[in-house]
Amino acid sequence: MITYFLVYFDFFVDNHWEKLPTSWREIFQNIDPQVLGDIISGNHNNYVLPLSFLSLLKTVQTYSLPRTSIYNYESFKEIHSIHDSCRGHPRLKNLFLKHVKLKKRHEVTLMAEIVHHTASQVKCDAVVDFGSGLGHLVRLLAYKYDLYAAGIECQSQLTQDARKQDWELEYTAKKYLSTESAIKLRRPIHFDIILNNISQLDHLVLPDTMDNYGLIGLHPCGDLGPLLLKHFVSSNKVRFICVVGCCYMKLTCEGADRGYPMSKYLTGLDSGLSYASREISCHSIDTYCDRLKNGHYEDLKIHAYRAALERILVEHDPKLRHAQVRSIKNSDNMTFQRYCTLAVERLELPLPTCASTWSRGEADLQQWRRVVTVYTLRLLLAPLVETVILLDRILFVIENGFSCNIRPVFDPKISPRNHIIVAKRM
């Protein structure tokens, strides 16, 4: 399927519309983007669609991992907690969510429940979070669930801010807890470390209370997710792992330390994934389809602006193909010339003065529906590409002798990368 490899701003340079099968062009050129959103979502419509397209749509739906969350806040019944604790005191129950944005609040709340449940199953009371950022997750696990927790973060400023938020939480908690309970608070540890290889994890100096621990990663970027899985299967100290993938386009696909493919099974197949395919797998098809279905697609015209600019840049100098131009979120009735001026100002390029170039650009913009259509058809394959990457990781764990499962935990419209891989050393 050719749309698998397309980049939307090459639409005019590579004439993407003509790459679609003739039967697809004939039907999709007359379909409103709002209807296209319903089609991709599998909703009923009155169009007679090409059999080849329907076959592709059904194949993607059949072989992609389910994305609908199987969890919600109500599904976790709050167990009885001691009143004199961060978890049980009514004045402290929302203390962990201070400074936390809504998306992150959704993620850390559900992730913490999964981690706590898994830790209980393997009788482990310590966790190490890689890519811990401001420490929201380890803070929740330490103060609410009484786990020994450590966060690993490569940005020193984030580590400093995480420690500051720990102190602020303890300052507030001590106002309501007894002296005995306040002394027992388990403050998380924050490390400022840049991880480059798996051997660093083997030499990580942790306190005696964390001799055995669980590995957690909430959206570790690129190769960090595979690195954590490799450490889990190779280290007897790691009792379990809970990891949610992210940034698949940053995976390395060559060499012994590659992030994809990991499993022997996929390594033995022709299973290569291009950068373009891995990049599209990180997009939110659920939110995008909702925008189309609700008629909120006017701002998607900006894709046509970028594609029309790409043609001008390539004609000026082929080396400017895929140049890093300024990102402009929407056109807001902006003229094409004004858009180009803003987009290339950092490149310090002289803009064309030929009137025919600008008139052609304006004509390109009239094809914005075609640009959106091709981009949407490409996005259709995103869940399938992500499924290949995630199943490869599961196969890697299974090949190394461990049971493993994967669950769609987060709401995909809030957190598109919503699958948690869980494996345990029993």
Side-chain angles (χ1 to χ4, degrees):
M1 177 57 195
I2 194 66
T3 58
Y4 180 71
F5 302 100
L6 305 183
V7 179
Y8 75 88
F9 43 78
D10 286 334
F11 182 87
F12 298 112
V13 173
D14 291 337
N15 200 4
H16 285 175
W17 186 253
E18 294 301 320
K19 294 182 184 296
L20 296 178
T22 303
S23 60
W24 292 31
R25 297 199 304 269
E26 290 175 350
I27 189 68
F28 286 125
Q29 68 180 350
N30 298 316
I31 289 182
D32 187 271
Q34 193 166 353
V35 177
L36 186 59
D38 283 321
I39 292 173
I40 300 302
S41 300
N43 298 334
H44 175 74
N45 64 87
N46 296 322
Y47 285 86
V48 179
L49 300 170
L51 182 58
S52 58
F53 171 77
L54 292 174
S55 299
L56 175 66
L57 183 61
K58 187 62 177 179
T59 298
V60 171
Q61 293 171 344
T62 300
Y63 291 103
S64 296
L65 288 169
R67 293 181 52 76
T68 302
S69 173
I70 59 175
Y71 292 93
N72 55 56
Y73 294 113
E74 289 72 27
S75 66
F76 293 113
K77 301 299 182 182
E78 189 70 25
I79 64 172
H80 176 71
S81 301
I82 300 174
H83 186 277
D84 189 23
S85 68
C86 282
R87 180 170 186 168
H89 199 291
R91 300 294 296 272
L92 301 178
K93 63 180 181 178
N94 293 320
L95 186 60
F96 312 100
L97 303 179
K98 189 177 181 181
H99 307 299
V100 186
K101 295 180 180 179
L102 290 177
K103 177 178 180 291
K104 181 64 72 173
R105 182 178 300 184
H106 173 78
E107 294 168 345
V108 299
T109 300
L110 292 174
M111 183 78 166
E113 290 283 2
I114 296 293
V115 171
H116 175 247
H117 178 70
T118 306
S120 300
Q121 288 182 316
V122 298
K123 296 179 173 56
C124 177
D125 62 356
V127 292
V128 179
D129 180 16
F130 287 84
S132 55
L134 290 169
H136 298 312
L137 181 55
V138 290
R139 191 170 301 110
L140 193 60
L141 292 167
Y143 293 112
K144 182 175 181 178
Y145 295 104
D146 293 325
L147 293 174
Y148 295 103
I152 311 294
E153 175 54 50
C154 65
Q155 298 185 47
S156 58
Q157 185 59 54
L158 292 179
T159 302
Q160 294 174 27
D161 291 343
R163 294 192 183 106
K164 180 181 178 181
Q165 290 187 27
D166 292 343
W167 296 330
E168 290 176 353
L169 184 148
E170 289 187 18
Y171 177 80
T172 302
K174 288 175 181 178
K175 294 179 181 180
Y176 303 98
L177 302 180
S178 66
T179 301
E180 182 181 1
S181 292
I183 293 175
K184 294 179 180 178
L185 291 177
R186 294 180 176 178
R187 180 185 298 171
I189 307 169
H190 300 280
F191 292 96
D192 182 7
I193 300 174
I194 298 176
L195 287 177
N196 295 314
N197 55 69
I198 196 171
S199 63
Q200 289 177 270
L201 301 178
D202 294 325
H203 297 93
L204 190 64
V205 179
L206 295 170
D208 293 339
T209 54
M210 303 183 70
D211 188 44
N212 293 294
Y213 56 88
L215 273 178
I216 56 177
L218 178 53
H219 296 141
C221 187
D223 287 335
L224 182 54
L227 184 68
L228 299 183
L229 288 167
K230 292 174 184 177
H231 184 51
F232 166 73
V233 302
S234 65
S235 176
N236 290 326
K237 291 184 177 181
V238 184
R239 301 299 305 282
F240 70 90
I241 184 170
C242 296
V243 62
V244 186
C246 190
C247 304
Y248 304 128
M249 67 283 195
K250 296 183 179 180
L251 290 170
T252 56
C253 299
E254 302 291 340
D257 296 327
R258 63 181 178 271
Y260 175 86
M262 296 182 67
S263 66
K264 294 178 181 178
Y265 179 76
L266 259 70
T267 300
L269 302 176
D270 182 15
S271 58
L273 294 175
S274 67
Y275 176 88
S277 63
R278 286 180 282 118
E279 190 273 337
I280 200 66
S281 71
C282 293
H283 289 239
S284 174
I285 187 172
D286 308 274
T287 302
Y288 185 86
C289 284
D290 276 355
R291 289 170 65 188
L292 293 178
K293 289 186 292 185
N294 295 327
H296 301 154
Y297 48 77
E298 286 295 312
D299 57 334
L300 298 179
K301 289 182 180 179
I302 202 67
H303 295 330
Y305 280 71
R306 178 63 182 89
L309 171 60
E310 184 73 7
R311 170 145 61 178
I312 292 176
L313 293 175
V314 172
E315 288 178 350
H316 176 78
D317 183 352
K319 293 181 180 178
L320 290 175
R321 184 162 190 167
H322 299 178
Q324 294 295 314
V325 302
R326 176 182 171 185
S327 178
I328 299 173
K329 298 301 182 183
N330 55 69
S331 56
D332 287 332
N333 297 318
M334 184 186 301
T335 66
F336 179 55
Q337 191 164 356
R338 175 60 177 164
Y339 168 84
C340 292
T341 300
L342 294 174
V344 304
E345 60 182 358
R346 296 174 185 171
L347 300 179
E348 299 181 352
L349 292 175
L351 291 172
T353 57
C354 179
S356 61
T357 298
W358 297 114
S359 61
R360 186 189 64 187
E362 293 293 342
D364 286 344
L365 298 187
Q366 299 306 309
Q367 299 186 55
W368 70 269
R369 291 176 184 270
R370 289 186 175 185
V371 178
V372 171
T373 295
V374 172
Y375 179 79
T376 304
L377 294 176
R378 179 174 176 253
L379 194 61
L380 166 66
L381 295 164
L384 191 58
V385 178
E386 183 178 28
T387 294
V388 171
I389 294 171
L390 293 178
L391 291 184
D392 171 56
R393 297 178 179 187
I394 292 174
L395 282 171
F396 169 78
V397 175
I398 293 173
E399 287 172 350
N400 281 275
F402 300 94
S403 62
C404 186
N405 62 64
I406 186 167
R407 318 170 191 175
V409 175
F410 309 140
D411 183 338
K413 295 179 182 179
I414 298 176
S415 183
R417 310 280 68 75
N418 70 330
H419 290 93
I420 297 183
I421 293 176
V422 179
K424 291 170 282 191
R425 177 177 270 105
M426 303 300 289

